[in-house]
Amino acid sequence: GENVEQHPSTLSVQEGDSAVIKCTYSDSASNYFPWYKQELGKRPQLIIDIRSNVGEKKDQRIAVTLNKTAKHFSLHITETQPEDSAVYFCAANRGGYQKVTFGTGTKLQVIP
Amino acid sequence: GAVVSQHPSWVICKSGTSVKIECRSLDFQATTMFWYRQFPKQSLMLMATSNEGSKATYEQGVEKDKFLINHASLTLSTLTVTSAHPEDSSFYICSAALAGLGELFFGEGSRLTVL
């Protein structure tokens, strides 16, 4: 089955700096890679996703890159703000109704 | 976006009792729903895949007789924790995939505490 590894487990940045979270996956058939943000006690919220037919996607301060050859993808948050503080999960699946496998999570702390 | 609602949001029960958690897709039909379990400060672990009109598919290590899943309609899946014990205390979250695109929408989650 799919195995998703995520690094780092914790990340502290100063407000305004950039944050980068990296993930690797094992299943070469995976073609959908979402990123979720989870605040304490809340449900995960999709913040951005990327499909295997593109290498990069950007949405305002958030961007995701994908390297299918190396089987890794990364989340980039620029100009971080305190409200970006949360746990971020990467995930991967084969699309459709296939199950989604989550990474171990990264706790991001943005220091004002 | 698609809305998934989960109920109850929190429940406290005595050891040995059973607890039912409901997951509803409010504005779309979900032939497939997923049940996750999340321990404090940990990731989401898939417990089972719930398929409308058929038996659920359980992940390795998940006791199907303990965690009963029923997906009787296109908008409702239920998870019943039978004979609950303190070690079953956790945050349970359901999700549904929209239109086969892979994107998951999550319910609010249910925090179970077994005394």
Side-chain angles (χ1 to χ4, degrees):
Chain A
E2 174 70 281
N3 182 48
V4 179
E5 295 188 357
Q6 183 172 347
H7 299 280
S9 56
T10 60
L11 179 60
S12 291
V13 299
Q14 292 290 330
E15 182 177 359
D17 288 349
S18 296
V20 180
I21 302 171
K22 298 182 179 181
C23 289
T24 61
Y25 62 98
S26 62
D27 185 357
S28 57
S30 289
N31 57 20
Y32 176 64
F33 307 93
W35 285 88
Y36 290 86
K37 175 183 180 182
Q38 187 179 29
E39 297 177 352
L40 189 62
K42 302 287 184 63
R43 76 182 96 188
Q45 298 276 10
L46 179 71
I47 56 171
I48 196 168
D49 56 13
I50 191 168
R51 299 187 187 274
S52 60
N53 57 343
V54 298
E56 184 173 359
K57 183 178 179 180
K58 188 174 182 179
D59 182 4
Q60 299 183 341
R61 297 186 297 108
I62 296 173
V64 58
T65 59
L66 170 66
N67 183 326
K68 283 219 72 177
T69 302
K71 295 187 199 165
H72 64 71
F73 55 113
S74 301
L75 176 71
H76 304 253
I77 306 174
T78 59
E79 301 174 25
T80 54
Q81 302 168 2
E83 50 266 38
D84 294 330
S85 297
V87 179
Y88 291 80
F89 292 99
C90 63
N93 86 336
R94 295 183 176 189
Y97 293 105
Q98 299 297 310
K99 62 183 180 182
V100 175
T101 301
F102 286 83
T104 48
T106 297
K107 183 177 181 180
L108 173 64
Q109 181 183 21
V110 180
I111 303 168
Chain B
V3 179
V4 177
S5 179
Q6 191 172 337
H7 178 82
S9 55
W10 59 271
V11 58
I12 301 173
C13 70
K14 293 182 178 180
S15 186
T17 61
S18 295
V19 174
K20 179 184 286 187
I21 301 170
E22 294 186 346
C23 180
R24 295 181 184 273
S25 55
L26 299 187
D27 52 0
F28 67 103
Q29 294 183 333
T31 57
T32 302
M33 290 185 176
F34 303 94
W35 286 95
Y36 288 86
R37 182 174 182 176
Q38 187 176 34
F39 291 106
K41 300 183 180 180
Q42 293 191 24
S43 187
L44 294 91
M45 300 302 298
L46 180 65
M47 298 175 65
T49 302
S50 171
N51 301 295
E52 188 269 335
S54 64
K55 292 182 178 180
T57 302
Y58 290 82
E59 295 299 300
Q60 189 174 9
V62 178
E63 299 176 62
K64 60 181 181 181
D65 294 330
K66 176 146 187 78
F67 299 100
L68 300 179
I69 291 173
N70 184 280
H71 195 154
S73 77
L74 288 172
T75 59
L76 173 65
S77 177
T78 61
L79 168 68
T80 301
V81 183
T82 62
S83 187
H85 288 92
E87 57 266 29
D88 299 325
S89 299
S90 187
F91 193 51
Y92 294 89
I93 312 179
C94 70
S95 65
L98 178 62
L101 297 177
E103 181 177 348
L104 288 184
F105 293 90
F106 285 89
E108 300 93 329
S110 300
R111 186 165 301 283
L112 170 64
T113 301
V114 185
L115 302 177

